[in-house]
Amino acid sequence: MSSLFRCLALFAALWSLASLALADSPDRRLALEDLMKLEGIGRALPDPSGRWILFERIRPYDSYPDYGFGMYAFRKSGHEIWRLDVRSEAPPERLPGLDPDAHTYLQGLSPDGTILVLIECRDGSTRLVLYDLATGTSFRPDRGPALSRLGIHEPVWISDHDLVYAALPEGAQPPDTSIRMATGRARIALWEAAWRGDTVTAREVRNDLAGQAVAGELVRLDVRSGQVRHLADGLHADLSLSPDGRHLAALAMIRDRRRAERDRARLDAVHHELRLIDLATEHIHAPAPGLDVSPGSLAWAAEGRKLALFAVPEGAPWSRGTHQVLDLGRDRLRPYPHPGLDLVSERERSLLQRPERALLLDAGLAVLARPAADPEAGESHFTYRDIAEANLARPDWYLISPGQPHRNLTEGLEAVSPIPLDAGASHLVVQAGDGIYRIDPSGRQARLTPDGYSDIKVHWPSSMMAAPGILRAAFGTESLIEARTGNTRRVGLIDFSEETPRLQHMFGGLTPDAQALALSAGGDALLMRQDSETGTQLVLITPEGRARTRLSLNMHLEGLDWGEWQSLSYTVPDPARPGRRQIVTSCILMPPGQAPASPPPMILDIYPGARPGCTARTPRLAYPDPHSPYVWAARGYAYARIAAPRDLIRTEAGPITGLPDMVGAARQAILAAGLADPDRLVLHGLSQGAVSALHVAAKTEGFAAVIAQNGWADLMSHYFGPPGIHADLYPDLLGTNMPRYEAEAGSDFAMGQTPFEAAERYVRNSPLLMADEIRIPVLLVHTDMDGFPKSQFDQMYAALARQGNPVRYVWYAGEGHGISSPANIRDLWERLARFTGETVPAPPPAGSAPDRAGGP
């Protein structure tokens, strides 16, 4: 017995030691393979029957059928269509009858709810899929759809069974989904043809094709018969059905004539002409000859006999534009000037330099604007703006009408949204900071939401390519909203189909980190996505507040130690106001288990225009970002997102010439706070950040190495050069780098001048010609199918090598703007670890005091 007790005592002691060791061991850190297994949830859509909610499930990354989507596969592909039965406890199931080896996306429903429209991408081929929800059968028209991330090619239903869409030429594929695969296959076919010797492989590009339509056509699809009919030649944008269903407005895309002077806010050499199609006769009319119409500006009056648009004479810049109203009965355009007002640009919220879309009421045109700098001058203005430009006057919705004084409709409301929820003949509905308001032309404001609603979030429509905030909901329908009342979050619908809009189907008591996806058609179930430390859950909630988890994803992330974000505020000089300083805040991710006495090495990530927001919450990971800061943190590095507001880094010398001082100030603040080892700081930049990081490396000291990925190095050759090898197949892309530099606002690299006008500015701001000033090890990473051509880093490598500076250069074949292939992602991180391990000094001996004074 005594021997048994001794054995038990020894076992207990060993178990206690083992338990203590387990308790003291650090939590598991993120591994690269954890990223490879990530799943996700995309958009959701209620089935009109009320039984199902359809949703996009993003399969584990390492199980994708291909990694060739667009410019990169992560976050954009891997989608499947699933459905959840809201009336039973059955688990979600894949929607039957679809291709399991395709990436498939929700696009929308027919007006009667019987046909589901999907976009299907397989092996570089993109097609429309019309899916019958009753029978589970599908139809794929031969004509491929044009797609655009700006939402200009969204298809439109003109009846319960007729769909009109912009179709590409036969055999063509939309670049946004297929650019890498299409380019690669075209090159292979031409190379092989040349080697065979039996086919001419010449390609010609010309700039004297003014007036020709961009290739494509407008087609009308009858989903009952599958018949596809030709409506119009050429590619069309901004399809817009009149409220009475009699006319379809569209913008024909026409090639511009050759000219030296052009609008420096334009992205391409195309203008848009208004076309009006009588859907009964299919007669096409061009009611606005000579006018270049802004895509996204078409707005019908409620009765369907008037159409508003924003336009300029062909060849004029958008800044000289005015609104026009077309009276279909008189076939006459009438200008609607806005004297004393400056129209708000969509660029302020990261879109294009064009006015926010107006609304056509019976009493006039409602436009989003602010008072002009000199309102007494009586001129109409549209000023190009930067993204999130500071110190602007507040915007409001104004009612304008020719010969009448304008009226501020949202006066007194705070934080007015640029996107209206609804409009009719005698009202508009807008979101403000404290509620949603219905406003009539006299300016009378009626709040539709109860007292105490705050943090209101409207669920704007979106599609496969167009993000929320680009597309508008059909007026007179419903909008899903989220709001906070006290400490409670609520979700519900506002129904605009009735004369007096009302809130309905309200769900309360929702957790802060839950995201509403869709409300069932019957209003009896709300589908939410819940992100937490234990992964991602798909949760169904009843009106009584009962929550049921119906799907759990990414459970392998449970228990990970992600590290901890910290905010670091400090002051920097204001170049626009000598002697003044501004407070900026950078965000620092400290690695898991970091001991304060031993500052870690740090990656300082640089991106022009960055205004990072710091959060301490668990990250929401739904795709394997190959540049994730959490991978750096898991490997023992702190990671800093450096604040670089555009107005503080732009000087008279160039758009990013103030960036070295900004990064130097961040370095001093980081070291003064003891957050990093002063001898182990690494500069890092991706995309626009790559050219910025190289610029900073040439103009500052105190860094051990620099990593530049998928960027460029010479502003002059980049201005003139192609956006990658894709211009071989898509020659219209030639010259599309130019607006980045020619712009006067809205671009991080805006010069406001061409190289013909100021060649020395391009030379003076190019890191390529600063190679002799870079004296730390450099790692250049690029790809051969990026929109920033690999030749830029070919030159940078040659320049650094010529100066004898230590430089490594790796490029990946078949990849676009970033790395998509799992094999290449793994290889990239092995190379990053090898580079930093060999170039960043080892940590100082225990007990030595790090330099926290900041240095130069």
Side-chain angles (χ1 to χ4, degrees), residues 221-399:
L221 168 64
D222 185 334
V223 298
R224 298 171 303 182
S225 64
Q227 181 184 16
V228 178
R229 296 212 319 275
H230 172 86
L231 272 183
D233 289 324
L235 199 60
H236 288 68
D238 211 16
L239 307 183
S240 183
L241 181 67
S242 64
D244 58 11
R246 295 176 56 184
H247 295 91
L248 181 69
L251 301 181
M253 302 175 67
I254 311 295
R255 298 186 186 280
D256 276 339
R257 61 181 176 84
R258 291 175 292 175
R259 59 170 68 91
E261 286 299 320
R262 67 177 186 183
D263 186 353
R264 293 180 175 179
R266 293 292 187 94
L267 299 180
D268 52 29
V270 172
H271 68 272
H272 299 80
E273 295 182 359
L274 179 64
R275 299 289 186 264
L276 204 61
I277 304 173
D278 186 316
L279 292 174
T281 65
E282 296 188 357
H283 171 73
I284 301 176
H285 178 44
L291 286 184
D292 182 6
V293 182
S294 171
S297 71
L298 301 182
W300 287 97
E303 88 292 337
R305 300 299 296 169
K306 290 183 179 180
L307 177 67
L309 49 94
F310 182 83
V312 295
E314 183 187 342
W318 291 130
S319 58
R320 298 180 190 169
T322 58
H323 288 94
Q324 311 263 347
V325 174
L326 173 67
D327 187 325
L328 274 63
R330 300 180 181 180
D331 197 20
R332 181 171 68 91
L333 276 170
R334 184 180 187 185
Y336 272 60
H338 49 280
L341 295 177
D342 194 356
L343 299 176
V344 172
S345 174
E346 284 187 354
R347 189 60 178 163
E348 296 176 35
R349 55 186 182 97
S350 303
L351 300 181
L352 299 183
Q353 293 285 18
R354 62 188 186 189
E356 294 284 359
R357 194 187 322 183
L359 301 169
L360 186 52
L361 313 181
D362 285 350
L365 200 63
V367 300
L368 190 69
R370 53 176 60 92
D374 183 11
E376 300 301 323
E379 298 177 354
S380 298
H381 292 270
F382 171 49
T383 305
Y384 297 152
R385 299 293 185 187
D386 283 324
I387 298 172
E389 186 170 335
N391 304 317
L392 294 177
R394 57 166 283 162
D396 279 291
W397 285 95
Y398 289 85
L399 186 71

Side-chain angles (χ1 to χ4, degrees), residues 781-785 810-815 819 824 827-828 831:
V781 179
H782 221 307
T783 57
D784 68 340
M785 303 190 83
V810 57
W811 61 271
Y812 293 90
E815 300 282 11
I819 308 298
N824 286 338
D827 180 81
L828 171 64
R831 294 177 186 273

